[in-house]
C-alpha cells in the first residue's frame, strides 16, 4: 500500500472527513516519525510494531560486476520489528485476550 492508497482508504471509512484533512494528518504523522528516527529515537506504535535506527559498520564489499573489492562506508538503516498483534495476524493466529470464567 502506498501513501495515496492509505489516504483513500481512510477517506472511504470516514466520509465525514475531507480528503485534504486526512492527507495533512497522515503527512504529519509520517513527518513526525521521520524526524524522530533522524534524531535516532525509537518509534513504537502499539499493536503494530517498532521502528529503530541501527548503525551498520564500515566494511569491505565486492562489486558484483567486476569482482573488485570496494570499501563500503558506515551508515544508518531503519529496522522494523512487528508487534505481537500484527505478527499473529500475519500468521493467522487469534490473539484476542481470553475471558476469565465467572466463579460461582
Amino acid at each position: 500500500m502506498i501513501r495515496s492508497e492509505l489516504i483513500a482508504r481512510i477517506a472511504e471509512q470516514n466520509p465525514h472527513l475531507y480528503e485534504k484533512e486526512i492527507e495533512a494528518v497522515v503527512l504529519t504523522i509520517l513527518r513526525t516519525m521521520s524526524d524522530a528516527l533522524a534524531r535516532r529515537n525509537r518509534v513504537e506504535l502499539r499493536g503494530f510494531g517498532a521502528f529503530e535506527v541501527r548503525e551498520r559498520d564500515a566494511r569491505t564489499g565486492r562489486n558484483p560486476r567486476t569482482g573488485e573489492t570496494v570499501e563500503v562506508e558506515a551508515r544508518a538503516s531503519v529496522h522494523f520489528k512487528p508487534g505481537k498483534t500484527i505478527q499473529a495476524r500475519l500468521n493467522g493466529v487469534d490473539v484476542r485476550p481470553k475471558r476469565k470464567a465467572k466463579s460461582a
Side-chain angles (χ1 to χ4, degrees), residues 34-69:
S34 296
D35 291 346
L37 291 168
R39 291 188 309 270
R40 304 297 196 256
N41 292 334
R42 176 182 160 104
V43 175
E44 184 176 336
L45 303 172
R46 294 287 169 141
F48 183 72
F51 298 87
E52 66 183 3
V53 176
R54 292 193 178 169
E55 301 294 332
R56 297 185 64 170
D57 294 332
R59 62 186 172 83
T60 302
R62 186 182 65 83
N63 182 332
R65 286 188 184 166
T66 64
E68 176 183 345
T69 59

Side-chain angles (χ1 to χ4, degrees), residues 1-99:
M1 174 180 288
I2 60 175
R3 185 176 59 209
S4 60
E5 291 171 342
L6 174 63
I7 293 166
R9 179 133 347 143
I10 295 171
E12 285 174 16
Q13 295 173 357
N14 298 280
H16 60 283
L17 298 174
Y18 292 109
E19 194 167 321
K20 288 290 182 186
E21 292 173 337
I22 296 168
E23 182 178 11
V25 170
V26 169
L27 291 176
T28 300
I29 291 169
L30 294 175
R31 190 176 314 113
T32 303
M33 290 173 62
S34 296
D35 291 346
L37 291 168
R39 291 188 309 270
R40 304 297 196 256
N41 292 334
R42 176 182 160 104
V43 175
E44 184 176 336
L45 303 172
R46 294 287 169 141
F48 183 72
F51 298 87
E52 66 183 3
V53 176
R54 292 193 178 169
E55 301 294 332
R56 297 185 64 170
D57 294 332
R59 62 186 172 83
T60 302
R62 186 182 65 83
N63 182 332
R65 286 188 184 166
T66 64
E68 176 183 345
T69 59
V70 292
E71 292 302 315
V72 179
E73 296 178 2
R75 64 185 182 96
S77 63
V78 176
H79 175 76
F80 174 72
K81 180 178 178 185
K84 289 180 185 179
T85 305
I86 196 165
Q87 189 69 39
R89 191 169 178 192
L90 290 172
N91 292 311
V93 178
D94 186 10
V95 292
R96 288 181 287 183
K98 295 177 182 162
R99 292 185 179 195

